[in-house]
């Protein structure tokens, strides 16, 4: 196993990326102390991986011995990460994440658990280590496979790269479709709620749609197979980015070389999403009586083979 993580700290170029990570993490933490708004990381989530990926690509170009150096794999990885980031930034903008007063509703539950603001110390420790350091570390590590590839001997672009590329787009589409299905459902649901408040005699929505709105949560489309299909797509596409470290050394691949330090972020992110779902679903269970039934029949993140039958609700 190639977990030469500590060697990164002695690299004269990589130290600048570490400094950037620490500056961003401390700035984020100080910002939360000043504003008492803890969703700054939501705003930065799509942007920081793009920032780091362009940084890695720039250093690869500057340090390449000549024009014959093949940087196609790194350029493709930068493109894929940017494609992911720009789409997610649009989704976040559409949801209002970039409004100055926006704060994710899950923070309300987290603050209650820590009895915040009555008890400050434990919450601020959590805020510093989990939000400022750990979440930033995940974003810092998302494009880290690029650094691993450019600092080790790599094979030319090959068939495994093409296969990884295809799977990346499969998972990218899954995430995009899930986000769009959820957006359309929630927009229609709240539009119907406004209709009810105004006392509209005949709704523009069908009885089947109204039944879905009354349930409160989406159980159709990709959500019939996974409770969080967007997370499934996101997790898998970042493992695809990591898989490029394998295709880069395909000619000399062995079992131990399948694992290296650049997998840390994908691993942390997989764990983080599990924890995030736990918080989100505590809220959903309280809000929606039928959610427990849905929970028992549909996979949390990884899809189940049998779709949820909403007709049996």
């Amino acid at each position: 196993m190639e977990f030469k993580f500590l060697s990164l700290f002695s690299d004269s170029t990589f130290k600048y990326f570490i400094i950037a990570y620490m500056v961003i993490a401390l700035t984020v933490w100080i910002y939360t102390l000043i504003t008492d708004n803890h969703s700054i990381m939501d705003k930065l989530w799509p942007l920081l991986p793009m920032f780091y990926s362009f940084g890695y690509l720039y250093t690869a170009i500057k340090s390449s011995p000549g024009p014959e150096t093949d940087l196609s794999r790194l350029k493709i990885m930068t493109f894929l990460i940017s494609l992911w980031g720009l789409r997610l930034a649009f989704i976040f903008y559409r949801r209002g994440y970039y409004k100055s007063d926006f704060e994710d509703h899950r923070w309300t539950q987290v603050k209650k658990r820590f009895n915040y603001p009555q008890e400050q110390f434990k919450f601020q420790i959590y805020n510093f280590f989990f939000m400022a350091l750990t979440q930033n570390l995940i974003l810092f590590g998302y494009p880290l496979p690029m650094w691993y590839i450019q600092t080790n001997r790599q094979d030319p672009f090959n068939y495994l790269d093409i296969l990884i590329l295809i799977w990346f787009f499969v998972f990218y589409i899954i995430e995009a479709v899930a986000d769009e299905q959820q957006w359309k459902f929630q927009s229609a649901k709240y539009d119907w709620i406004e209709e009810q408040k105004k006392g509209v005699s005949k709704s523009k929505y069908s009885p089947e749609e109204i039944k879905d709105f009354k349930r409160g949560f989406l159980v159709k489309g990709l959500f019939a197979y996974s409770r969080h299909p967007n997370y499934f797509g996101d997790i898998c596409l970042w493992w695809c980015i990591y898989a490029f470290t394998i295709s880069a050394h395909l000619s000399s691949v062995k079992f131990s070389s399948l694992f290296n330090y650049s997998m840390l972020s994908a691993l942390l992110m997989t764990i983080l999403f599990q924890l995030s779902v736990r918080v989100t679903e505590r809220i959903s269970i309280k809000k929606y009586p039928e959610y427990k039934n849905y929970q028992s029949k549909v996979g949390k993140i990884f899809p189940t083979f049998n779709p949820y039958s909403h007709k049996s609700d």
Side-chain angles (χ1 to χ4, degrees):
M1 294 188 184
E2 301 180 358
F3 289 104
K4 300 175 182 177
F5 185 71
L6 294 178
S7 64
L8 293 173
F9 294 90
S10 59
D11 189 288
S12 59
T13 302
F14 194 78
K15 69 180 181 182
Y16 293 107
F17 290 99
I18 296 174
I19 291 169
Y21 158 72
M22 292 304 300
V23 168
I24 292 169
L26 287 172
T27 302
V28 163
W29 185 60
I30 292 169
Y31 175 88
T32 64
L33 293 178
I34 294 170
T35 63
D36 199 33
N37 187 311
H38 300 85
S39 276
I40 180 65
M41 285 309 305
D42 294 309
K43 297 174 173 65
L44 294 176
W45 198 269
L47 308 178
L48 287 181
M50 290 193 289
F51 167 73
Y52 290 122
S53 66
F54 276 102
Y56 292 144
L57 181 61
Y58 173 77
T59 58
I61 293 170
K62 292 292 287 184
S63 61
S64 61
E68 70 281 357
T69 305
D70 184 11
L71 298 175
S72 56
R73 185 179 287 107
L74 295 176
K75 290 177 180 177
I76 287 171
M77 292 173 75
T78 303
F79 170 75
L80 295 178
I81 291 169
S82 299
L83 194 66
W84 169 87
L86 291 172
R87 189 199 70 84
L88 195 61
F90 167 72
I91 293 296
F92 283 8
Y93 171 79
R94 187 168 65 173
R95 292 177 184 172
Y97 282 26
Y98 291 104
K99 292 179 180 178
S100 59
D101 60 345
F102 170 82
E103 186 173 56
D104 192 297
H105 66 282
R106 287 171 292 190
W107 277 107
T108 303
Q109 297 299 314
V110 173
K111 289 175 180 179
K112 281 182 180 178
R113 196 189 312 166
F114 284 94
N115 195 27
Y116 179 86
Q118 287 78 12
E119 296 180 22
Q120 292 271 345
F121 183 73
K122 287 183 180 178
F123 176 77
Q124 293 303 346
I125 292 293
Y126 172 86
N127 181 32
F128 178 73
F129 282 102
F130 172 73
M131 201 274 287
L133 288 184
T134 304
Q135 289 197 35
N136 262 295
L137 182 63
I138 291 171
L139 300 180
F140 175 73
Y142 269 172
L144 198 57
M146 292 179 63
W147 181 263
Y148 178 83
I149 290 170
Q150 71 191 66
T151 53
N152 290 276
R153 185 197 63 79
Q154 59 172 308
D155 294 344
F157 198 78
N158 55 63
Y159 74 89
L160 185 55
D161 289 297
I162 296 172
L163 191 60
I164 294 167
L165 198 56
I166 291 169
W167 277 110
F168 178 94
F169 279 109
V170 168
F171 295 127
Y172 178 86
I173 291 168
I174 288 173
E175 183 179 16
V177 170
D179 282 337
E180 196 61 26
Q181 288 177 344
Q182 186 70 272
W183 171 259
K184 286 182 177 179
F185 173 78
Q186 294 296 337
S187 298
K189 183 180 80 171
Y190 284 105
D191 183 53
W192 173 75
I193 290 171
E194 285 301 313
E195 276 189 352
Q196 301 309 297
K197 288 179 181 177
K198 292 175 183 176
V200 175
S201 57
K202 187 175 181 181
S203 175
K204 59 187 171 186
Y205 297 103
S206 69
E208 182 67 22
E209 287 174 316
I210 293 172
K211 181 182 177 183
D212 290 336
F213 300 153
K214 287 180 177 179
R215 182 188 300 108
F217 57 94
L218 183 58
V219 298
K220 295 179 179 178
L222 293 179
F223 290 83
Y225 297 89
S226 166
R227 304 201 301 270
H228 303 275
N230 51 336
Y231 284 5
F232 170 72
D234 202 48
I235 288 170
C236 292
L237 68 82
W238 283 111
W239 280 106
C240 286
I241 293 294
Y242 172 73
F244 281 113
T245 66
I246 300 170
S247 64
H249 307 98
L250 189 60
S251 63
S252 57
V253 71
K254 50 187 178 180
F255 181 76
S256 62
S257 64
L258 297 177
F259 309 96
N260 60 71
Y261 62 76
S262 69
M263 75 184 298
L264 176 64
S265 183
L267 192 60
L268 280 174
M269 181 265 295
T270 304
I271 296 168
L272 175 65
F273 275 15
Q274 299 289 336
L275 298 174
S276 177
V277 165
R278 193 179 300 173
V279 175
T280 302
E281 295 201 334
R282 281 200 200 105
I283 299 169
S284 297
I285 288 170
K286 290 177 182 177
K287 286 175 68 176
Y288 311 122
E290 296 173 13
Y291 197 84
K292 272 197 171 182
N293 181 53
Y294 175 62
Q295 226 178 11
S296 67
K297 295 179 179 178
V298 178
K300 180 164 56 175
I301 291 177
F302 290 89
T304 49
F305 292 106
N306 297 318
Y308 182 72
S309 178
H310 56 276
K311 291 180 181 178
S312 63
D313 287 346

